[in-house]
Amino acid sequence: MSLSVSRRLTAVTAIAVAGLLATTASATASTAPRTTPPAAPAAAPALAAPTPPDIPLANVKAHLSQLQSIATANGGNRAHGRAGYKASVDYVKAKLDAAGFTTTLQTFTSSGATGYNLIADWPGGDPNSVLMTGAHLDSVTAGPGVNDNGSGSAGVLEAALAVSRAQLQPAKHLRFGWWGAEELGMVGSKYYVNSLPAAEKSKISGYLNFDMIGSPNPGYFVYDDDPTLEQTFKTYFAGLNIPTEIETEGDGRSDHAPFKNAGIPVGGLFSGADYTKTSAQAQKWGGTAGRPFDACYHSSCDTSANIDDTALDRNSDAIAYAIWNLGAGTPVPPGRSFENTADVNIPDSPGAAVTSPVTVSGVAGNAPATTKVDVNIVHTYRGDLVIDLIAPDGTAYRLKNSSSSDSAADVVASYTVNASSEVANGVWKLQVRDVAAQDTGYINSWKITF
């Protein structure tokens, strides 16, 4: 991560994203027993995508071992203008070439030395909608930079190789980048973005950045620059029951900044640098309070021993999750929508279920097999909530079951339901029941789209 500092104090509120559950601040779980009612017909995700792979930690670690060896053989670092950096580029390029990527080595000059960006394109996908994933490959001169940023570079590399192993046929065109001279002020990524014609910039639907994802005293930080990209990562970590926080330490200090400044949506992950982990953060993530997330940040001790395997594994899997969902998924096309925005209080258990009605008219025939339901519920413990869509004839379609492991607040989600046996016109209802005590909340709004 670059040394230049720019901070932003605002946070973007998460919005509903197709097929993605919002994760918000962690709430205290009820001590009452959690029960799971019988399931109604299940709802399908609103984003049709192949199942993301589990990225092998051993493979990511093997790349880090190679980067460590390269640094050791080249004066202890992989910095811009040094032999260790060029050897790092050559290593990554050889892996990608062998896996069937089209690679391009882009050169630039900084501080009197030649720098290199490595760009890799996977064949196929919509050339007018490019999902780009990247990480900086250089270290500082003080050390080998295994966490900063061998970790991000290795995670992105292994995700790219997973694309090849799966012979993925994405909806979007997939492009990967490894940047030079980031430690001198994002020089390489700035050069890349500035060299793109305006028409090419407009084709990049999103850029995902991974700078330090294996910090030894890790946090789980998510970029909040674009709501859709932010929510993708929050959804992944929610599936692991891991709370996240908005990333502020690296704002403006890594390679997403040039893309953001060019108007390109950006997102990414970060496990922390030289900021100190608080007691609250240690309580929810483990590790040691009062210590930096990475005490070896920009130091000679940033070696292969300076990695938390669990954080590296989770974050590498998150990279693949984002690529598969954002790049390979096909969103359900929108249709005619009907919405109820009136607040409906949800009684605490053992209160009865409540409903919020929507009257549908003017839609010919039956509901589609991809009837879309957007839900926005404010609640202190969403794990207690059972949510159903009730068709005009009374048939219940289960959207969400209760779960004792889902210890977070609120439900902001999109679902699709195969309601093709139902006449579209009539009164549809969102039904919500709280199955355990000590919670409060209300239906904020919901929408059905045909």
Side-chain angles (χ1 to χ4, degrees), residues 66-67 70 74 78-97 103-108 114-120 135-139 153 157 177-181:
Q66 289 296 316
L67 295 177
I70 288 169
N74 290 280
R78 301 179 301 101
H80 165 75
R82 308 294 180 91
Y85 179 71
K86 183 57 165 60
S88 299
V89 172
D90 292 343
Y91 169 77
V92 175
K93 186 177 186 300
K95 291 288 185 182
L96 295 165
D97 287 340
T103 59
T104 303
L105 201 59
Q106 184 182 54
T107 61
F108 58 90
T114 300
Y116 302 92
N117 292 326
L118 176 62
I119 310 301
H136 78 86
L137 188 53
D138 63 317
S139 74
S153 291
L157 172 58
W178 288 262
W179 312 115

Side-chain angles (χ1 to χ4, degrees), residues 373-395:
V373 182
D374 293 302
V375 177
N376 187 316
I377 295 175
V378 178
H379 199 267
T380 54
Y381 190 90
R382 72 176 185 220
D384 284 354
L385 298 182
V386 177
I387 306 174
D388 292 300
L389 174 70
I390 309 298
D393 68 356
T395 301

Side-chain angles (χ1 to χ4, degrees), residues 354-375:
V354 295
T355 60
S356 174
V358 163
T359 299
V360 175
S361 62
V363 179
N366 285 11
T370 55
T371 301
K372 184 168 177 280
V373 182
D374 293 302
V375 177

Side-chain angles (χ1 to χ4, degrees), residues 43-59:
L47 192 69
T51 302
D54 180 14
I55 298 298
L57 175 63
N59 292 9

Side-chain angles (χ1 to χ4, degrees), residues 251-407:
D251 256 352
R253 297 173 60 186
S254 192
D255 294 296
H256 61 290
F259 288 86
K260 181 180 178 180
N261 293 339
I264 296 168
V266 300
L269 298 175
F270 177 58
S271 57
D274 56 351
Y275 278 23
T276 299
K277 179 177 280 189
T278 67
S279 296
Q281 289 169 331
Q283 184 175 10
K284 65 184 175 183
W285 290 329
T288 306
R291 293 272 297 165
F293 294 101
D294 183 356
C296 289
Y297 174 64
H298 283 185
S299 300
S300 60
C301 58
D302 187 8
T303 66
S304 54
N306 190 48
I307 290 289
D308 181 88
D309 284 358
T310 300
L312 183 67
D313 190 20
R314 289 169 173 169
N315 285 316
S316 296
D317 286 341
I319 297 173
Y321 178 91
I323 291 169
W324 259 250
N325 280 279
L326 294 168
T330 304
V332 175
R336 190 172 178 187
S337 295
F338 302 83
E339 185 172 17
N340 189 335
T341 60
D343 293 350
V344 178
N345 185 59
I346 302 170
D348 196 12
S349 180
V354 295
T355 60
S356 174
V358 163
T359 299
V360 175
S361 62
V363 179
N366 285 11
T370 55
T371 301
K372 184 168 177 280
V373 182
D374 293 302
V375 177
N376 187 316
I377 295 175
V378 178
H379 199 267
T380 54
Y381 190 90
R382 72 176 185 220
D384 284 354
L385 298 182
V386 177
I387 306 174
D388 292 300
L389 174 70
I390 309 298
D393 68 356
T395 301
Y397 294 85
R398 180 58 44 85
L399 303 181
K400 177 191 175 299
N401 243 317
S402 62
S403 173
S404 60
S405 63
D406 191 10
S407 57

Side-chain angles (χ1 to χ4, degrees), residues 8 21 37 69 86 88 130 195 214 223 253 292 314 347 371 411 415 424:
R8 185 178 69 258
L21 293 177
S69 296
K86 183 57 165 60
S88 299
V130 178
S195 69
Y223 293 14
R253 297 173 60 186
R314 289 169 173 169
T371 301
V411 179
Y415 308 91

